[in-house]
């Protein structure tokens, strides 16, 4: 079993919404140390979410999107007797959030021809409605774990 991480860096709350989750998301969006640009992208996406959904609090949609996009099971490769097996495992909560952040940002980056904050807003709204590229990625991960359920006894 894993040892507990003693000194995990937890980001403080963000400036506008006072939420550590949003600050962590900004850190994932950030590239090449440009945090101000990442903040503009995320806050711009939240403004678009406010307009499109007529919801004054975009954090509700953000939290729902994260909950919907985060996987419960995943497969890990395990070598046993010269063969590699895809063993289904439960995902730890920290990794679950990290995968949800990553999949949503990658889905937004994959769309071409529009500003990043618009693509990110569309992906967040889609994920809150259980649709979009990040949700498809989660479903594919769950299907893979379901298909390899026969190897679940190989856990370590």
């Amino acid at each position: 079993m894993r040892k507990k991480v003693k000194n995990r860096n937890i980001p403080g709350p963000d400036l506008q919404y006072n939420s550590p989750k949003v600050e962590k998301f900004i850190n994932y969006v950030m590239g090449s140390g440009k945090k101000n640009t990442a903040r503009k992208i995320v806050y711009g996406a939240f403004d678009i979410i406010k307009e499109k959904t007529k919801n004054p609090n975009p954090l509700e949609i953000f939290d729902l999107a994260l909950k919907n996009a985060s996987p419960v099971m995943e497969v890990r490769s395990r070598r046993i007797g010269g063969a590699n097996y895809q063993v289904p495992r439960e995902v730890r909560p920290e990794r679950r959030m990290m995968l949800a952040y990553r999949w949503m940002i990658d889905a937004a980056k994959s769309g071409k021809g529009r500003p990043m904050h618009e693509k990110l807003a569309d992906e967040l709204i889609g994920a809150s409605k259980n649709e979009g590229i990040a949700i498809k990625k989660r479903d594919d991960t769950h299907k893979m774990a379901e298909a390899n359920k026969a190897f679940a006894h190989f856990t370590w």
Side-chain angles (χ1 to χ4, degrees):
M1 195 164 141
R2 283 175 65 99
K3 279 199 303 187
K4 290 235 184 219
V5 180
K6 286 196 170 76
N7 57 346
R8 183 171 302 254
N9 288 335
I10 300 167
D14 73 301
L15 303 173
Q16 199 167 335
Y17 294 97
N18 207 23
S19 166
K21 280 185 182 178
V22 175
E23 186 67 22
K24 189 110 170 142
F25 190 64
I26 288 169
N27 289 345
Y28 273 98
V29 171
M30 178 174 57
S32 305
K34 298 191 174 190
K35 192 160 196 165
N36 222 18
T37 307
R39 279 199 178 110
K40 285 178 188 171
I41 290 169
V42 173
Y43 293 149
F46 281 6
D47 291 341
I48 292 171
I49 289 170
K50 273 187 210 174
E51 290 171 20
K52 284 190 177 180
T53 61
K54 306 284 190 277
N55 188 343
N57 188 7
L59 279 183
E60 293 172 8
I61 285 149
F62 176 70
D63 287 336
L64 184 61
L66 282 181
K67 191 169 105 15
N68 289 346
S70 56
V72 179
M73 297 291 286
E74 69 176 346
V75 290
R76 304 290 301 263
S77 194
R78 177 122 159 93
R79 186 171 175 84
I80 295 166
N84 284 324
Y85 295 103
Q86 297 290 320
V87 180
R89 305 250 345 236
E90 202 169 313
V91 185
R92 289 180 297 118
E94 303 90 32
R95 180 164 169 77
R96 188 177 296 172
M97 295 309 291
M98 185 267 303
L99 287 171
Y101 290 145
R102 186 191 299 165
W103 290 344
M104 282 202 273
I105 292 165
D106 288 346
K109 281 181 181 176
S110 68
K112 296 277 186 253
R114 290 176 23 223
M116 179 64 179
H117 57 93
E118 289 177 14
K119 297 184 289 187
L120 188 59
D122 287 347
E123 189 59 39
L124 286 168
I125 291 168
S128 69
K129 296 177 182 172
N130 260 334
E131 52 195 40
I133 300 169
I135 298 297
K136 186 180 181 323
K137 184 93 167 156
R138 181 210 60 193
D139 291 342
D140 290 345
T141 305
H142 283 174
K143 281 180 194 166
M144 186 85 112
E146 187 69 28
N148 289 295
K149 209 189 319 188
F151 305 120
H153 65 281
F154 286 134
T155 57
W156 58 103

